[in-house]
Amino acid sequence: MNIAISHEGTDFDALASMFAVSKLYPGTRIIIGGSVNRNVRRFLTLYGTFFDYSTEKELDWKSVKKIWVVDASAPSRSGKAEELIQNGEVAFAVFDHHPETTEGLKGEQVIIQSTGACTTILVELIKEQTLPLNSLESTLLILGIYEDTGSLTFPTTTARDLQAAAFLVEHGAKLSAVPDYVNMQLTNEQRDVLKQMVNSLTVVEVNGIQVHFTSVQVNDYVDGVSFLVHKLMDLEEINVLFSLFDMENKVYVIARSRLEEIDVSTITAGLNGGGHKSAASASIKGSSLDEVRKKIITMMKHSFSFTRAIDIMSTPVKTVHRDSSINEAYLTLIRSGFSGLPVVNDDEMLVGIIARRDMEKAIHH
């Protein structure tokens, strides 16, 4: 038996990628292991009978001959299949869109490409082989692309994702299903967690960069926390965010970055996680929220450094008092050779900037 597996916490990109593999390689069975995101669970409740899938508990692992690993390239994210893969007992192949990690799988076929969604890579293969798709199948595939690219708006979105989505629309994908499954309303539990995230929000300056942290402890596992992280970033206009969740004896880290210079996947890789430059995650056992937070700050300090104003500025700083005349300010400017001067008050606090052209206009006037 050949099977397709993905990471725990099955999202639409994982489910759609597994289905695409079953389409490309007939006879491959979709295996869902661990937790399933709420929106995916709702989809399977309605349409699960149209897709040939099983759970890990229902599978006879001794009958497995080949494993297709999708939307994950690290053994630690592949559930019960990890033992078979590590021991070399089965053949396996990988389709993924996350940067390859040091513990990445080395199968007989490993395709890792930079796209917004893993589904995109497999849709391209379906297109190449001119395989038929019905409306429901196309809808599942487009949900995989839309969810992992934030409806084609995340920085990781590529032209290939848009082209794959267009191909699926041509084959009957229902875009009207996207808001039903990708932009679902928050549950009461999610609202409570989002409120805790807002209340626990703190800022740490790391090498001149404002890094935000949230630390939330919840009794039970909460679906869709990654969606809450995006919500919080939009609410607070945050550039770099590490959200820490203590759930079920694990600390889950979800990291997001809007800065080109900050690659959060390098930090989560140090926590045995993975992801993209702008979106990454990890889960840690045996550590507290505070311990994980301190470790992230330490790694950030050693991983990123930037040229700061103090590194390139002229010293000593030449300033002009706000009560100085234009002629006095202009004379100071000429003597210093600068093109502008900071304006300060009696307490030497910055109150403005005046440029040479402003002075020349004033003198001319």
Side-chain angles (χ1 to χ4, degrees):
M1 177 192 300
N2 297 338
I3 63 171
I5 65 169
S6 190
H7 54 78
E8 294 184 352
T10 305
D11 56 17
F12 269 114
D13 193 25
L15 179 62
S17 296
M18 288 189 286
F19 164 71
V21 166
S22 72
K23 193 80 174 178
L24 288 162
Y25 306 98
T28 301
R29 190 171 185 82
I30 299 169
I31 303 299
I32 297 178
S35 59
V36 179
N37 287 357
R38 183 171 63 98
N39 54 348
V40 175
R41 188 163 60 244
R42 180 165 165 259
F43 179 88
L44 290 175
T45 299
L46 293 173
Y47 305 110
T49 55
F50 296 96
F51 302 98
D52 186 19
Y53 78 94
S54 302
T55 64
E56 286 186 344
K57 295 179 180 179
E58 298 170 335
L59 181 64
D60 178 11
W61 288 95
K62 294 181 180 179
S63 65
V64 175
K65 302 300 182 184
K66 183 171 184 177
I67 298 176
W68 297 93
V69 183
V70 300
D71 199 29
S73 60
S76 59
R77 301 192 74 192
S78 54
K80 291 185 178 181
E82 178 183 355
E83 183 179 348
L84 294 177
I85 292 173
Q86 295 284 37
N87 294 338
E89 298 179 32
V90 297
F92 69 95
V94 176
F95 286 103
D96 195 16
H97 69 127
H98 301 98
E100 192 169 4
T101 64
T102 54
E103 64 161 347
L105 301 175
K106 305 297 181 184
E108 61 182 37
Q109 181 183 7
V110 177
I111 297 178
I112 300 178
Q113 299 175 0
S114 297
T115 56
C118 183
T119 304
T120 296
I121 301 169
L122 293 154
V123 168
E124 290 175 342
L125 294 176
I126 290 174
K127 182 179 179 180
E128 286 177 10
Q129 298 183 25
T130 63
L131 298 177
L133 289 171
N134 60 39
S135 178
L136 181 58
E137 293 171 340
S138 297
T139 299
L140 170 58
L141 293 170
I142 208 167
L143 286 172
I145 295 174
Y146 267 63
E147 183 181 62
D148 240 38
T149 62
S151 296
L152 306 175
T153 63
F154 290 169
T156 51
T157 306
T158 67
R160 293 169 61 183
D161 298 299
L162 275 72
Q163 292 162 359
F167 168 78
L168 294 169
V169 171
E170 291 174 352
H171 284 73
K174 302 297 184 183
L175 289 176
S176 59
V178 172
D180 291 337
Y181 292 102
V182 174
N183 300 317
M184 295 178 65
Q185 295 294 317
L186 299 183
T187 64
N188 291 333
E189 292 81 4
Q190 288 174 325
R191 291 192 186 94
D192 290 340
V193 171
L194 182 58
K195 184 177 180 180
Q196 293 181 56
M197 290 170 67
V198 172
N199 292 337
S200 68
L201 191 63
T202 57
V203 184
V204 178
E205 185 173 304
V206 180
N207 297 341
I209 297 296
Q210 299 289 310
V211 181
H212 287 73
F213 285 88
T214 64
S215 299
V216 177
Q217 188 163 9
V218 293
N219 295 326
D220 300 311
Y221 183 84
V222 177
D223 282 335
V225 288
S226 59
F227 178 59
L228 300 181
V229 173
H230 285 294
K231 281 273 191 185
L232 181 60
M233 289 194 74
D234 291 336
L235 286 172
E236 300 292 336
E237 296 184 358
I238 297 169
N239 285 323
V240 181
L241 173 64
F242 287 89
S243 287
L244 281 55
F245 303 91
D246 189 342
M247 297 187 292
E248 298 182 329
N249 300 318
K250 285 184 181 179
V251 174
Y252 294 87
V253 179
I254 298 179
R256 296 291 184 267
S257 171
R258 288 191 173 123
L259 301 180
E260 182 65 27
E261 303 90 345
I262 300 295
D263 180 356
V264 290
S265 68
T266 62
I267 302 301
T268 56
L271 301 171
N272 295 321
H276 298 284
K277 287 182 63 175
S278 59
S281 63
S283 61
I284 305 98
K285 284 185 177 180
S287 295
S288 67
L289 290 167
D290 191 54
E291 288 171 342
V292 174
R293 182 176 180 272
K294 289 179 179 178
K295 186 173 183 180
I296 291 172
I297 293 173
T298 300
M299 287 191 292
M300 287 284 292
K301 289 180 178 178
H302 291 90
S303 299
F304 305 105
S305 61
F306 304 94
T307 302
R308 299 173 297 169
I310 195 172
D311 300 321
I312 61 174
M313 65 184 285
S314 299
T315 55
V317 178
K318 295 292 185 180
T319 63
V320 60
H321 194 275
R322 64 180 177 185
D323 292 333
S324 300
S325 69
I326 290 294
N327 285 332
E328 289 173 332
Y330 191 67
L331 184 60
T332 302
L333 187 78
I334 295 301
R335 286 173 177 172
S336 65
F338 298 153
S339 59
L341 291 172
V343 182
V344 297
N345 60 18
D346 292 334
D347 297 322
E348 294 295 317
M349 297 297 294
L350 182 69
V351 294
I353 298 287
I354 187 165
R356 177 170 182 158
R357 64 178 180 272
D358 298 324
M359 298 183 199
E360 290 175 342
K361 286 180 180 179
I363 291 171
H364 179 72
H365 178 72

